[in-house]
Amino acid sequence: MGEEKVKGDPSAPPAPEYSVGDFNSTTKLADSQIISDAEYNPFEHRQIEKPNSTAGSLIHLLKSSLGTGILAMPVAFKNAGLLFGAIGTVIIGLICTHCVHILVSYVRERFTAGPLCRTASPLFASASLYLTGARPEMRSDERLVFWCQIPVLGFAETAERVFQYGPAKLRPLAGFSKAFVDYALMATYFSAGCVYIVFIATSFHDVINHETGNDWSVRIYILFTMIPVLLIGQIRELKYLVPFSALANLFIVVTFGITLYYIFKDSLEFDDKPMFSSFGTLPLFFSTVIFAMEGIGVVMPVENSMAKPQHFLGCPGVLNTAMGTVIVLYAVIGFFGYVRFGDEAKGSVTLNLPLEDSLAVAAQILIALAILFTFGLQFYVPMDILWRKIHDKIPKNKHMISQIALRTGIMIIMGGVGLAVPELEPFIGLVGAVFFSSLGLFVPCVVETVFLWPNELGKFRWVLIKNVIFGAFSIFALVAGAYVSIKDIISLYTDDEDGHTDGGLTDEEYEPFRHRRVKKPNSTNGTIIHMLKGSLGTGILAMPSAFRNGGLVFGVIGTTLVGIIYAHCVYLLVSTSQKSCKRTRVPVLGFSETAQSVFRHGPTPTQRFANAAKAYIDYSLLIVSFFSVCVYLLFISTTLRDVINGELGIDWDTRIYILLTAVPLVFVTQVRDLRYLVPFSALANTLILVTFGITLYYIFREPIDLTNLQLFPEITALPSFFGTVVYAVEGIGVVLPVENKMKHPQHFLACPGVVSIVLSFITVLYNMTGFFGYARYGPDTRASVTLNLPSEEKLALSTQLLAALAILFTLGIYYYVPMDILWRKVKHYFPAERHNIAQIGIRFGILVAMTALALGVPELEPFIGLVGSICSATLGLLTPIVLDTVFRWADPDAFGVFRWRLLKNAILFAFGLFILVVGTYFSLKDIVEIYG
């Protein structure tokens, strides 16, 4: 605002003429005459000679936060993942907006309009004594009542006055807080100006040299760029910068539109993009979003220069409108830009556009022009601060020439820095990360906390808790941004001529994922569907029965515990398999091959068991999977018999329905690629969820009474509880086959990834069904909760039919696992040209055998329960623990401090043995009851 004047107001007390630059620590507040809080309206006392309109203020605020950072959002999403990126962007935007609200609202309501602080003690109620310099002696726990009626305050002055009139122990920090904000703003914006100059010059260098065939150095373009920069940098009024900001916004919007055109020109592929990337890349995400979105330094100057400052806050107001627009645009370009370009997303998404297209080249020119026209606004903030600090040392008749000379000199220095150090960005990134996170987030939280301390922090001191959380987040962003910037600096200046850092690896480390050649890879979403189907079956309908044995409280605890343990065992299996692939330099390993490799390359005593481990897992999977097909076939046939015979009044035998069920299975079991089984698994999941929904309808149709229900189990009921939950959740046989078929296998163990998403979802569903099912039916809860539903109602009867159809569509993936194992064992017996017909014959022959077994032994379930209990416990729990332990045994340090991983594995192994014994006992008990 340079030399903007605040005219004296007739109703105000006599006071010297103010300029915006005069509001610093030496400003005289007022004479002894004081106007009451109700009478003083700071907006009426703001009489800016050249005020800015509401629309102009909106344009400025948009320009301060909406810059080239929007084009870096796809790479930010690459470092966060689709889901976390979208949520994180919105949260960061809301936090930044809230912090601006804190800053502006406290300046208005507390500093410029009324009492800075109050105290219950009347002893120091004489504000006139304080304002005239006669400061009475104060105790540390008391504050002076005084009035600070000033039309406008800047960012630094706000921070100063908070400390100056805050708790006594903090008042010595008033000068430091003001200086910190001032110098931090100057360092940030002057440094950013250097980067802008280099960015503009480099953009024109790339485009013009490419189009004309010239080979001019980027330094020549920096010199050319300095010509318009020197002119724009001489503008000292925000009002005259509005057209430049408007043009810059227009160019950015056009560039945004061109970028969106290229993003949406072809169909988008969502399946191969992770919902969450990794914790290691989160600092890059937060640094990018905060530095791109934050424009705290422009807020107070823009608000102070408004003709109608009451339009700045409010809903909707300038701030909410601007930040809402910024958040939406950042989220959209980040989300869809990453979907389009994936891991190839670059620092500016325009760099991903095809250079051979004129439209793409135009986007680079427009964004360079946008930055050029933004320079004036960015340069305004630090120059306003600097001029306020030195203008009183210069005669008034020299102010004009001094401003011209000072601005020109600083811009020449900035251009000189750009000429001397063209790789300046990492250093500026360090300054920006440190000061933007502290200025935009940390300082407003501190300002609010100090001002409200100690008695106005809200109920339960929620304001303090909120500010501590936000402050911790800002510190994390500061440290993370600084770390990433320093890391970039080190890598930039320690690269050797070959492009390797001194500490880099000289040999290429084998990466199994790069060597996988899957003909028809499965998408991440398809893998989630398969994994859901592998664990989510009719077992969910048995969970109320499990809770009947476990009790309401222990049921939730136990089910969650089993889900966590099983998820951890899946993680151990897959991570051990991937590490074994890397060690043996093979792209994929199945379940049994992983066990063989681990034992073969493990300690000497285990090596002799390598082949035995492979054979055990193979045959266990074969037995469990094929016999499960028999059980499912019987389940479907029996269900169809009960429903159809009851509805039609016929008396067909179960064997007829077994034969009818086998007809569609002839086609389902011939599907050999997981990719083509996705629709079946998806449909099966849908049917299970519909059955689940209908069941919940009946559960919640009437009020639930939790009285007289047991919360904890009897000791004798624990085996039944754990046996039901483990057998229902476990689906280990599907894990490695679907992981080996993934297009992006790195998404399987990510956080969140396929494993965490699927098993979290499964655990929640199982807990809900078990808890509320038992709460509804209590001791009368049956083995399948659908049997508790009123059989006279068609909707209830349909649940049995839907569950049967879900199992029918599930059989394809259950058939895939044993057939994949069997085919790998026998395919070398057939000529290559006979593989297709051989697979058809084997698949059909095994289905016929399973159908014959179901026809001949209708009471097969107890035997399958015995085999399933034994193999589920060993395959799903014990085997992954053993493999992880054997793999790590050669390196004792791999078990961690105090060998905590070994202790953890021992505890989990004991739990698995308990499940094994329990399952075997109850299966044998059922067999004795049926055949004894």
Side-chain angles (χ1 to χ4, degrees):
M1 286 179 291
E3 298 175 276
E4 289 180 5
K5 302 293 180 182
V6 181
K7 295 181 179 179
D9 185 77
S11 64
E17 189 177 41
Y18 294 116
S19 70
V20 176
D22 291 330
F23 293 105
N24 49 42
S25 58
T26 61
T27 301
K28 295 180 181 179
L29 300 181
D31 292 334
S32 59
Q33 180 183 356
I34 300 173
I35 300 174
S36 69
D37 187 14
E39 295 173 351
Y40 187 82
N41 185 344
F43 300 155
E44 295 177 357
H45 291 255
R46 288 188 188 177
Q47 298 185 16
I48 310 299
E49 291 183 359
K50 299 171 183 177
N52 209 6
S53 67
T54 300
S57 300
L58 177 61
I59 291 173
H60 280 315
L61 201 59
L62 272 173
K63 191 66 229 73
S64 68
S65 292
L66 181 61
T68 54
I70 191 174
L71 302 177
M73 287 305 296
V75 76
F77 271 64
K78 180 180 73 173
N79 293 316
L82 288 179
L83 180 61
F84 191 90
I87 296 174
T89 300
V90 173
I91 291 176
I92 292 173
L94 293 177
I95 292 175
C96 291
T97 305
H98 175 71
C99 290
V100 173
H101 267 285
I102 290 174
L103 187 64
V104 177
S105 62
Y106 277 100
V107 168
R108 281 186 180 181
E109 299 172 10
R110 306 289 185 143
F111 298 146
T112 63
L116 192 59
C117 47
R118 293 182 174 89
T119 180
S121 173
L123 298 178
F124 303 106
S126 178
S128 59
L129 291 176
Y130 182 86
L131 296 173
T132 56
R135 303 189 183 188
E137 184 177 350
M138 298 177 62
R139 296 196 304 269
S140 61
D141 60 340
E142 293 176 319
R143 300 187 190 178
L144 187 67
V145 176
F146 67 92
W147 302 81
C148 179
Q149 296 170 343
I150 298 176
V152 289
L153 280 176
F155 190 0
E157 288 76 18
T158 300
E160 180 188 32
R161 278 169 172 74
V162 166
F163 282 89
Q164 187 175 359
Y165 304 119
K169 293 183 179 180
L170 297 180
R171 289 170 192 162
L173 298 176
F176 170 78
S177 63
K178 179 179 185 296
F180 173 80
V181 174
D182 276 342
Y183 288 111
L185 285 171
M186 285 193 288
T188 301
Y189 283 97
F190 282 141
S191 301
C194 298
V195 175
Y196 283 0
I197 293 172
V198 174
F199 177 85
I200 297 167
T202 303
S203 298
F204 282 112
H205 164 270
D206 294 342
V207 172
I208 297 175
N209 281 7
H210 178 269
E211 294 295 322
T212 62
N214 293 335
D215 192 23
W216 290 1
S217 168
V218 70
R219 288 179 170 84
I220 297 177
Y221 289 94
I222 290 177
L223 293 174
F224 283 128
T225 303
M226 288 303 300
I227 298 174
V229 164
L230 287 170
L231 297 176
I232 294 175
Q234 293 296 337
I235 299 176
R236 294 171 239 165
E237 301 288 348
L238 280 174
K239 183 181 183 70
Y240 299 137
L241 286 172
V242 169
F244 294 96
S245 290
L247 271 178
N249 284 339
L250 176 62
F251 290 161
I252 287 179
V253 170
V254 172
T255 304
F256 180 71
I258 294 173
T259 304
L260 288 181
Y261 163 74
Y262 281 102
I263 288 175
F264 293 105
K265 186 170 66 170
D266 299 316
S267 59
L268 296 170
E269 179 63 47
F270 292 85
D271 293 341
D272 59 343
K273 310 302 186 303
M275 296 294 104
F276 178 84
S277 181
S278 70
F279 286 104
T281 56
L282 278 185
L284 290 169
F285 167 75
F286 286 117
S287 298
T288 302
V289 178
I290 292 175
F291 187 70
M293 190 179 293
E294 187 59 69
I296 192 71
V298 180
V299 170
M300 296 308 300
V302 168
E303 194 269 350
N304 286 341
S305 65
M306 287 183 66
K308 297 180 179 180
Q310 61 269 25
H311 294 174
F312 191 81
L313 298 181
C315 185
V318 170
L319 177 63
N320 290 338
T321 303
M323 292 305 296
T325 304
V326 167
I327 292 170
V328 171
L329 289 180
Y330 271 54
V332 168
I333 198 69
F335 185 92
F336 290 105
Y338 175 51
V339 171
R340 163 60 59 205
F341 301 110
D343 292 337
E344 301 299 322
K346 298 182 180 180
S348 174
V349 71
T350 54
L351 299 177
N352 288 103
L353 306 184
L355 291 177
E356 60 274 11
D357 289 2
S358 299
L359 192 61
V361 173
Q364 295 190 39
I365 296 176
L366 289 175
I367 197 62
L369 291 175
I371 291 300
L372 176 63
F373 294 141
T374 302
F375 184 87
L377 182 61
Q378 298 294 329
F379 194 64
Y380 172 89
V381 176
M383 280 305 305
D384 180 68
I385 297 171
L386 182 60
W387 182 248
R388 284 191 286 109
K389 290 184 175 297
I390 66 172
H391 79 284
D392 56 345
K393 298 180 176 62
I394 303 172
K396 287 189 177 181
N397 59 340
K398 301 286 187 178
H399 278 189
M400 179 66 71
I401 190 65
S402 297
Q403 282 241 42
I404 294 174
L406 182 63
R407 288 171 176 267
T408 302
I410 291 176
M411 284 184 283
I412 290 175
I413 292 174
M414 293 165 64
V417 173
L419 287 169
V421 191
E423 298 293 340
L424 191 65
E425 291 87 339
F427 293 101
I428 306 306
L430 177 62
V431 174
V434 171
F435 289 114
F436 270 130
S437 60
S438 58
L439 290 175
L441 303 178
F442 189 76
V443 171
C445 294
V446 171
V447 164
E448 184 181 39
T449 303
V450 171
F451 180 77
L452 296 180
W453 187 271
N455 299 319
E456 298 182 63
L457 294 170
K459 192 174 183 180
F460 304 118
R461 296 200 168 189
W462 71 268
V463 176
L464 177 63
I465 297 172
K466 178 260 297 181
N467 286 342
V468 168
I469 295 173
F470 287 177
F473 174 76
S474 69
I475 293 174
F476 166 76
L478 185 153
V479 175
Y483 167 77
V484 173
S485 298
I486 293 172
K487 184 179 178 181
D488 288 344
I489 293 170
I490 293 174
S491 63
L492 179 65
Y493 288 95
T494 58
D495 285 350
D496 57 27
E497 294 179 357
D498 297 327
H500 301 293
T501 61
D502 296 336
L505 296 174
T506 56
D507 296 328
E508 180 188 5
E509 186 177 4
Y510 184 82
E511 293 292 341
F513 299 158
R514 296 180 182 177
H515 294 81
R516 288 188 180 180
R517 298 293 182 263
V518 183
K519 291 184 179 179
K520 298 174 182 178
N522 210 7
S523 67
T524 301
N525 288 342
T527 304
I528 290 176
I529 292 173
H530 283 315
M531 282 290 294
L532 276 172
K533 197 65 230 81
S535 293
L536 179 62
T538 54
I540 191 174
L541 303 177
M543 287 305 299
S545 175
F547 271 64
R548 182 192 62 195
N549 294 315
L552 290 177
V553 175
F554 187 84
V556 173
I557 297 173
T559 302
T560 304
L561 178 65
V562 170
I564 293 173
I565 291 175
Y566 175 63
H568 181 66
C569 290
V570 170
Y571 179 88
L572 292 181
L573 175 63
V574 176
S575 62
T576 302
S577 178
Q578 292 175 353
K579 288 183 290 187
S580 296
C581 288
K582 183 174 292 188
R583 183 169 65 181
T584 56
R585 293 183 174 268
V586 294
V588 293
L589 285 173
F591 194 173
S592 60
E593 289 82 5
T594 298
Q596 183 184 42
S597 174
V598 168
F599 278 85
R600 179 173 292 169
H601 296 88
T604 303
T606 68
Q607 294 175 4
R608 69 182 71 178
F609 299 106
N611 293 334
K614 181 179 186 300
Y616 173 78
I617 292 176
D618 277 343
Y619 289 113
S620 295
L621 289 173
L622 282 172
I623 293 171
V624 171
S625 299
F626 282 139
F627 275 75
S628 295
V629 172
C630 294
V631 174
Y632 287 158
L633 185 57
L634 282 170
F635 176 85
I636 297 169
S637 304
T638 304
T639 303
L640 293 177
R641 180 202 64 191
D642 294 342
V643 173
I644 296 177
N645 284 5
E647 292 296 311
L648 300 181
I650 58 179
D651 192 23
W652 287 7
D653 185 73
T654 304
R655 290 176 173 84
I656 297 177
Y657 289 98
I658 291 175
L659 293 173
L660 291 175
T661 303
V663 174
L665 291 183
V666 171
F667 301 98
V668 173
T669 55
Q670 289 296 334
V671 180
R672 299 174 225 167
D673 289 308
L674 280 174
R675 181 185 180 90
Y676 300 133
L677 286 172
V678 170
F680 295 98
S681 291
L683 185 55
N685 286 340
T686 302
L687 295 176
I688 287 291
L689 291 177
V690 171
T691 304
F692 175 70
I694 295 174
T695 304
L696 288 182
Y697 162 73
Y698 281 102
I699 289 175
F700 292 106
R701 187 167 61 169
E702 298 174 0
I704 294 176
D705 185 9
L706 298 180
T707 58
N708 301 322
L709 296 177
Q710 64 178 7
L711 301 181
F712 297 93
E714 299 178 2
I715 298 298
T716 55
L718 276 180
S720 180
F721 169 78
F722 281 114
T724 303
V725 177
V726 171
Y727 190 71
V729 171
E730 194 274 324
I732 198 72
V734 181
V735 171
L736 283 178
V738 297
E739 191 269 347
N740 288 339
K741 288 283 187 178
M742 286 186 70
K743 183 178 181 181
H744 295 278
Q746 62 270 23
H747 298 170
F748 195 81
L749 296 181
C751 184
V754 172
V755 172
S756 56
I757 291 173
V758 168
L759 291 177
S760 297
F761 183 68
I762 291 292
T763 303
V764 170
L765 282 183
Y766 275 48
N767 271 314
M768 287 181 58
T769 307
F771 184 93
F772 292 108
Y774 172 55
R776 161 61 60 203
Y777 300 110
D780 297 326
T781 304
R782 303 179 66 181
S784 175
V785 71
T786 54
L787 299 177
N788 287 101
L789 305 185
S791 58
E792 66 276 7
E793 297 187 23
K794 300 293 184 183
L795 185 62
L797 192 63
S798 68
T799 58
Q800 298 181 42
L801 187 61
L802 291 174
L805 290 175
I807 292 299
L808 176 65
F809 293 129
T810 302
L811 281 175
I813 191 169
Y814 278 106
Y815 207 70
Y816 173 88
V817 175
M819 280 306 306
D820 181 65
I821 297 171
L822 183 61
W823 179 246
R824 284 189 282 108
K825 288 185 175 293
V826 303
K827 68 179 181 180
H828 62 278
Y829 294 113
F830 300 94
E833 65 272 12
R834 300 277 185 170
H835 279 187
N836 188 47
I837 190 65
Q839 282 233 48
I840 294 174
I842 292 174
R843 287 173 174 269
F844 180 76
I846 291 177
L847 176 62
V848 170
M850 296 295 101
T851 304
L853 184 60
L855 289 170
V857 190
E859 295 296 336
L860 190 65
E861 293 90 333
F863 294 98
I864 305 303
L866 176 62
V867 176
S869 297
I870 295 174
C871 295
S872 293
T874 55
L875 294 177
L877 300 178
L878 299 178
T879 301
I881 295 169
V882 171
L883 294 181
D884 178 70
T885 304
V886 173
F887 186 91
R888 296 177 184 273
W889 196 267
D891 181 12
D893 293 336
F895 287 111
V897 180
F898 304 119
R899 294 198 169 193
W900 70 269
R901 287 191 177 90
L902 181 61
L903 177 62
K904 176 262 297 179
N905 285 354
I907 295 173
L908 294 181
F909 189 85
F911 178 77
L913 283 178
F914 169 75
I915 299 300
L916 172 64
V917 174
V918 166
T920 303
Y921 167 76
F922 277 95
S923 297
L924 290 174
K925 182 180 178 182
D926 290 341
I927 292 173
V928 171
E929 290 178 354
I930 292 176
Y931 292 96

